[in-house]
Amino acid sequence: MWRFYGDDVAGARRLVDAALAAGITLLDTADIYGEHHGFGASETLLGRVLREAPELRDRMVLATKGGIRPGVPYDSRAAWLGQALDDSLRRLGVDHVDLYQIHRPDLLTHPEEAARALDDARQAGKIRAIGVSNHSAAQVQALARFLPVPIVSQQPELSPLYVAPMFDGVLDQAMERNMAVLAWSPIGGGRLMKPESDRDRAVAALLDAAAETAGVDRAAAAYAWLMAHPARPIPILGTQDAARIARANEAYRVRWNRADWYRVLEASLGTKMP
């Protein structure tokens, strides 16, 4: 829901309906999303949808994020996280979210303080589970040290064009801790659909070969490539096109064999695996 904002409530409802109809139940937003249209714009629009159709709430896993503060830029102090969460709940028009994530690590807040704020909110019933976004494996470990409950999710940038989490310990830690991996920008910020470099085109060509075999589009092949990893990444779609949302579950029609999967990785890295 990074680009989910504005005043077209009917159009926003169509996007939510398209996702739920396709079996997509995780709706992931953040207080910073839509900032250029006003801080909290994405949450506000989703809140308007839920006020018009409150029955949708029970059909979704509602996730949001806090900890980015315009002009600061990061703040995970207890006072700010508490205020940010309350503001998110107000904009969404709900009394709790299923998953609350620290959006980016705040280097000036001790993880014990952030953990205390998150667990206070959990015990108050405002959040059901705790996650992080854009955290290193070490930062996750430090935060987890002070929490009485597990961190259930990690949200890294991850795509066939950005594979760093496969090598920097983020996906390994997710598997070790049984954390869900929510992959943002799974088609490389759109670059897989409009390749800009020889590397982009090489990766796209390999995805196209798999897509053609399965009778799907390149995006579905990219989602399937991510989902083939044993950490079981969940691609976070950024599209605002209901038709593309409806086709996203075609990813399940793609079957990557080991050799072809590694060819995509090698094209992304620009080198053969050692």
Side-chain angles (χ1 to χ4, degrees):
M1 294 195 155
W2 175 39
R3 293 175 293 178
F4 184 90
Y5 49 76
D7 293 315
D8 183 2
V9 179
R13 169 72 187 274
R14 283 193 292 273
L15 297 179
V16 173
D17 285 341
L20 294 174
I24 298 169
T25 56
L26 172 64
L27 273 66
D28 177 69
T29 186
D31 56 10
I32 195 70
Y33 287 174
E35 176 196 5
H36 298 303
H37 295 260
F39 190 78
S42 176
E43 292 177 326
T44 297
L45 181 57
L46 180 55
R48 293 177 67 182
V49 171
L50 293 177
R51 277 190 290 276
E52 287 196 1
E55 70 278 6
L56 297 178
R57 174 64 184 93
D58 291 337
R59 297 175 57 193
M60 64 181 65
V61 176
L62 181 57
T64 194
K65 297 182 283 294
I68 295 181
R69 188 173 180 180
V72 174
Y74 308 134
D75 194 340
S76 290
R77 290 175 296 173
W80 176 255
L81 283 183
Q83 176 185 329
L85 173 58
D86 285 344
D87 289 345
S88 289
L89 295 176
R90 175 181 51 79
R91 286 187 290 263
L92 290 164
V94 298
D95 61 5
H96 75 278
V97 292
D98 300 302
L99 176 65
Y100 192 69
Q101 305 152 91
I102 296 183
H103 205 154
R104 288 189 180 271
D106 172 18
L107 303 180
L108 293 178
T109 296
H110 195 289
E112 184 175 17
E113 180 177 355
R116 183 174 69 251
L118 292 168
D119 195 54
D120 285 349
R122 182 189 64 86
Q123 293 192 58
K126 296 178 182 180
I127 61 179
R128 293 284 173 82
I130 295 166
V132 297
S133 178
N134 302 298
H135 281 53
S136 69
Q139 288 165 337
V140 170
Q141 184 176 353
L143 181 63
R145 165 67 177 78
F146 299 102
L147 281 169
V149 295
I151 297 173
V152 305
S153 66
Q154 162 76 284
Q155 187 167 161
E157 180 180 2
L158 181 65
S159 76
L161 295 178
Y162 188 82
V163 297
M166 297 183 183
F167 298 94
D168 63 12
V170 166
L171 295 194
D172 297 304
Q173 181 184 62
M175 291 185 286
E176 177 192 14
R177 293 175 174 263
N178 195 29
M179 297 163 61
V181 176
L182 313 181
W184 66 266
S185 200
I187 54 173
R191 284 190 297 124
L192 275 176
M193 309 311 289
K194 296 181 180 179
E196 300 173 355
S197 67
D198 290 343
R199 169 177 167 267
D200 295 355
R201 286 185 283 272
V203 172
L206 292 167
L207 294 173
D208 283 344
E212 184 176 1
T213 298
V216 301
D217 65 13
R218 186 185 299 163
Y223 302 148
W225 187 83
L226 291 178
M227 292 159 62
H229 191 280
R232 299 173 298 167
I234 301 168
I236 301 295
L237 281 62
T239 181
Q240 302 296 291
D241 183 327
R244 289 185 62 188
I245 293 172
R247 294 196 304 270
N249 62 11
E250 293 179 353
Y252 289 105
R253 291 164 51 180
V254 184
R255 294 291 181 267
W256 284 97
N257 65 49
R258 190 171 292 263
D260 288 341
W261 191 92
Y262 271 109
R263 289 188 184 99
V264 173
L265 181 61
E266 288 175 337
S268 180
L269 295 172
T271 186
K272 292 289 186 181
M273 298 298 290

